Amino acid sequence: MRLRPSPLIGGLFCTIYHMPRTCLMFFPNQNQLPFPRPPLFSVRSLSFSSAALRTIEYNNIAKDYQFKNVKNQIFQLPNGSKKVPRTVSSRSLEFWMDRGTKRRTRGEYLGGVGGVVKLDRERVLKWYSERFRNCAVNLCLDEGKAHHANFIKNGIDPDNHLFVSLINFYAKCGALDFARRVFDEMPEKDVVSWTVLISGFVAEGNGREGVELFCEMRREGVRPNEFTLATVLKGCSMVSDLEFGKQLHAEVVKGETFADVYVGSALVDLYAKCGEMGYADKVFFVMPKQNAVSWNALLNGYAQLGDGHKVLDLFCKMTESEMMFSNYTLSTVLKGCASSRSLRAGQVVHSVAIKIGTVFDDFISCSLVDMYSKCDLANDALQIFKTVKKPDVVTWSTMISGLDQQGQKLEAVDLFSLMMHSGLRPNQFSLSTIVSTATDLGDPNFCRSIHAFICKFCFESDMLVSNALITMYMKLGLVYDGFQIFSAMAQKDVVSWNALLSGFHDGESSDQGPLIFKKMLTEGLKPNQYTFISILRSCATHLNASFGKQVHAHIFKNNLNTNDYVGTALIDMYFKCRYPDDVELIFNRLSERDIFTWTVIIAGYAQTDNQGEKAISCFNQMQRGGVKANEFTLASCLRACSGIASLTNGWQLHSWAIKSGHICDVYVASALVDMYGKCGCMDDAEMIFKSTDSVDTVLWNTMICGHSKHGQNEQALQYYRTMLNKDVQPDGVTFIGVLSACSHMGFVEEGWKHFHSMSDLYGITPSVDHHACMVDILGQAGRFREVENFIEHMTITPNALIWETVLGACKIHGNVELGEKAAQKLFEFEPQRDSNYILLSNIYAAKARWNDVSRIRVLMSSRGVKKEPGCSWVEVDAQTHVFLSQDTSHPRLSDIYEKLDELHQRLFSVGYVPNVNYALHNVPDMEKKENLFHHSERLALAFALVSNTTGGKVRIFKNLRICGDCHEFMKGVSDITNNEIVIRDINHFHHFRNGMCSCKDHW
């Protein structure tokens, strides 16, 4: 038996017989070779040693390819003799021949000793070409490589046709590096070889490499044909290289290949995918002949733009031209209908699919599911979905997303569960959709289970899914969990940073928003509109106007200053940071003002002091512009009416709410109750409250606080008890109303009970406002020792509100010592607030300490503090009339003073005596009386009585507290005129009726 030579002997034979290095071309690691990589084809004078062939180590080549026919090869020995391998039989020689040719015997191939085997070269080349073509069609890369190794070892010199077949084979199988190496070894490269190589790169999605190869071909002086141009145009479409595509278009026109339908279709496709539908139209309609491909390209372009009407119009023209359309055509038309939400057009295409019998095709059914889902008909989409025999993961994802967007969250979860039970593996889109659904459901446990499910399928590193998870945790308030996912991401895009920022809009962590925004800029990412909206919301919450202005500068830098959404966020930020003057300029720059923008600016003015009239003006301007208000706009405008106590505008908005059908909305109902309450119409507020079907905590709070403000404290406490009986959970605002009612009624012990129940029964931590209410309860009762003890043992640091409450109680009871202490604290907290100085001055004046009064006034002057003048206003005939104390500017001044004199005379006759102790000025008593007679609320009352000859309720609003003498005066007037008088001062409402006040004189 013949033994295998050792590698050393094999290497010796290679050296002696000049073994060509070509045999080593397929070594897996070419860098380990002791010599440079040989060219792919060096076969013109190829000779082999059979011994060498049996001994050379191919570095696993033989293992990889296991050439079945290596034993059937004929080799030429170095000495010129010819030898057939020992295992070759006459039947195995048929390897070299086509199957249809006549079989030849062993003797026909062997010329005897010293003879030469004559092979038919053309047949061999043809055989290999067919093999490579078959391997390309069947994508058999390994088999094709084996054939390639065969003809290299047999020294076959390929012609151009075989080169092209080999390039095509490698290109079709995705082995583009091998295809390029074969191409580089071609002695002569013609347009066919270039086209085959270019098409290989384009087919693999490497459009840019295809374009570069075309440029290289042109530099070599090779002229393209129509197939080359069509292929390169397709590559341009892939990379959206419109400019190079236009240059190719010029070459098409120059080369007179425009008449070719493939080139024309490729041009239409290029312009359509680049969004240049004008050019696509022109090319399409000047083509000598259109085919289905060109029609589909044009249809797809309009579908991508979301122009469903144009897609349907083109489809009609296509059918009129009797052009046969495929399922792909119908799917494209349905995609256009889905993009533009053109339900009617989609239904027309659906009927066409039914008519021609393709509606049961899964491809069409999936497109119908997508169309109906995006047209907000999730139930119709579900009916189509049920007819799909084997829906793929895209169709499942579309259906789940459709249910999610329609608010059918639980149904979306059930469908996702069905998809899992079907054995289908989810993709990143289905998982991101179910994460969004879980986010909206708001169940942390379910959200965490979805996260675990994602980890099970190894999608936690997918950027789309990770972004959805970050958003989920941020919306749940689990900021740390969201940050953990963000930190673990290998790659982060703008969406990732935006998702992270979304967790820092509100709450204590909102101050981290600017730091994250800075870090994002440091990382080199360019913020988009959503980034700016997020960071502006963070600035608005944290009242960080300084950083907000820097963000505004970045917005200009990124050319987003005219973006309507960003502009709306800027308006909101400036309003909340108390910079209303900057708002109007931004608002005027907005090109389109939708309902959201109008709502933001109306709400901003409504929440800004003394800007309620601007809010109402904006609402009227919005109505004139044809923008229909929603429930949030209406609620904001009603709150503006509450702020300025504009009952006439409130009535108009109430009627508009009824007319528009928003009266049943809980937000509108709450705003109406609040408006009527703050305009002194608690009866109307009661009516709205009782007619509302769904009453939430906010609405209960509005009623409780409203009754408390109106001095109807028993009703306030009764509403609180009813609220608890209906199992409605109270919140912090509820207890402010309850404690205020206790304060007005002097219920100290009940106040303590409610204060302690907050934390003991309902888990509510008392805020500064609740502590201030408790101080007020004790202070109104004159229990100042308990007040000081309570403040000393407070768990939170006393602020200005606490000491203002103390000072107000000291004014009522004349406690100078504690009043001075409270005033000194207030001078430190709020040195520019005039009411603090006035209250202390009034305490001194009540005790006739005029030197101290002068000292306080001098202190005010030295600090530049000016006293806010007392004013009152009343609404008559839908116009607001404002009066200052001792006012002499009103056009009906004589009538007003005449009416006041009449009222005073009638009151004097029934025993009214002016109480000059409320005229806190060091002047004679006669002058004190004169000052009292012309207080602003009396002037407003006189004007209302002069103007309102029919009688009825008079509503007056005052910016300061009503004085004690005016309080008695109003009681008397209500009795002698039989008018109900409602006065809202800075503290609460006074309802004067039949000589009595709702505050039970505990004002």
Side-chain angles (χ1 to χ4, degrees), residues 791-802:
I791 295 175
E792 184 179 347
H793 291 89
M794 278 172 55
T795 56
I796 56 178
T797 304
N799 65 355
L801 179 61
I802 299 292

Side-chain angles (χ1 to χ4, degrees), residues 294-448:
S294 53
W295 277 104
N296 289 340
L298 193 64
L299 284 167
N300 191 56
Y302 281 109
Q304 287 180 336
L305 292 178
D307 192 346
H309 298 293
K310 184 66 175 179
V311 170
L312 191 63
D313 180 58
L314 277 173
F315 180 65
C316 292
K317 290 181 180 179
M318 182 179 180
T319 54
E320 289 170 3
S321 67
E322 299 183 356
M323 176 67 65
M324 295 295 294
F325 55 83
S326 62
N327 289 347
Y328 176 78
T329 309
L330 288 177
S331 175
T332 301
V333 178
L334 287 169
K335 182 171 70 173
C337 298
S339 300
S340 61
R341 307 295 195 270
S342 302
L343 176 61
R344 181 61 181 164
Q347 290 172 331
V348 170
V349 179
H350 190 178
S351 65
V352 172
I354 294 173
K355 182 178 180 180
I356 65 176
T358 61
V359 70
F360 299 109
D361 180 82
D362 282 357
F363 189 60
I364 296 298
S365 297
C366 294
S367 299
L368 285 168
V369 169
D370 180 56
M371 186 272 294
Y372 281 119
S373 295
K374 289 181 178 175
C375 290
D376 299 333
L377 293 176
N379 292 329
D380 290 359
L382 191 59
Q383 294 302 317
I384 301 293
F385 178 79
K386 291 177 181 178
T387 65
V388 182
K389 296 177 182 177
K390 291 184 178 181
D392 58 7
V393 67
V394 175
T395 309
W396 280 99
S397 301
T398 301
M399 192 64 250
I400 294 168
S401 177
L403 290 171
D404 174 66
Q405 291 172 5
Q406 287 296 295
Q408 301 181 38
K409 308 294 181 182
L410 295 176
E411 290 81 355
V413 173
D414 291 340
L415 195 63
F416 181 79
S417 179
L418 282 174
M419 183 181 82
M420 292 296 94
H421 282 98
S422 71
L424 201 63
R425 179 182 172 85
N427 62 10
Q428 63 269 39
F429 302 106
S430 55
L431 289 174
S432 60
T433 299
I434 201 64
V435 169
S436 174
T437 305
T439 303
D440 294 333
L441 289 173
D443 184 349
N445 292 328
F446 179 66
C447 290
R448 291 186 187 280

Side-chain angles (χ1 to χ4, degrees), residues 150 174 206 393 417 421 446 506 550 554 601 634 785 862 867:
N150 269 336
N206 297 328
V393 67
S417 179
H421 282 98
F446 179 66
D506 309 305
Q550 295 179 44
H554 273 283
I601 196 166
L634 190 58
R785 185 167 295 178
S862 65
K867 178 182 179 296

Side-chain angles (χ1 to χ4, degrees), residues 670-820:
S670 297
L672 278 169
V673 170
D674 183 60
M675 184 272 296
Y676 279 122
K678 289 181 178 176
C679 289
C681 304
M682 279 308 295
D683 292 340
D684 294 322
E686 289 261 11
M687 179 192 69
I688 299 295
F689 178 82
K690 291 177 179 178
S691 64
T692 304
D693 296 329
S694 177
V695 181
D696 60 358
T697 303
V698 175
L699 204 48
W700 281 104
N701 291 347
T702 305
M703 288 302 298
I704 293 170
C705 294
H707 279 298
S708 177
K709 280 283 186 183
H710 281 266
Q712 301 166 355
N713 305 297
E714 293 177 357
Q715 291 95 318
L717 295 176
Q718 182 58 43
Y719 264 96
Y720 173 66
R721 289 189 285 269
T722 306
M723 174 184 177
L724 296 182
N725 291 335
K726 291 185 177 293
D727 294 326
V728 179
Q729 189 78 1
D731 59 12
V733 178
T734 312
F735 284 100
I736 289 176
V738 170
L739 293 173
S740 296
C742 291
S743 173
H744 299 153
M745 297 181 71
F747 292 170
V748 178
E749 299 306 321
E750 186 169 353
W752 274 118
K753 183 187 74 172
H754 291 304
F755 183 79
H756 291 304
S757 72
M758 290 176 60
S759 55
D760 296 342
L761 297 179
Y762 303 107
I764 302 172
T765 302
S767 66
V768 172
D769 293 328
H770 299 113
H771 285 84
C773 288
M774 204 62 229
V775 169
D776 190 50
I777 290 173
L778 298 171
Q780 293 284 352
R783 298 162 71 161
F784 290 105
R785 185 167 295 178
E786 292 182 48
V787 168
E788 293 185 87
N789 184 61
F790 179 76
I791 295 175
E792 184 179 347
H793 291 89
M794 278 172 55
T795 56
I796 56 178
T797 304
N799 65 355
L801 179 61
I802 299 292
W803 293 112
E804 283 174 13
T805 307
V806 172
L807 187 59
C810 292
K811 165 65 175 62
I812 294 173
H813 294 280
N815 189 329
V816 178
E817 182 181 353
L818 185 57
E820 288 178 332

Side-chain angles (χ1 to χ4, degrees), residues 912-927:
Y912 165 72
V913 177
N915 189 345
V916 295
N917 291 327
Y918 291 104
L920 302 177
H921 296 279
N922 189 16
V923 294
D925 286 351
M926 184 59 66
E927 190 173 343

Side-chain angles (χ1 to χ4, degrees), residues 136 139 141 164-180 195-204:
L139 302 180
L141 180 61
V164 171
S165 299
L166 190 55
I167 295 169
N168 179 64
F169 151 67
Y170 278 125
K172 291 285 178 64
C173 291
L176 298 177
D177 289 340
F178 285 120
R180 183 61 199 248
T195 303
V196 169
L197 186 63
I198 292 170
S199 65
F201 277 93
V202 172
E204 287 296 310

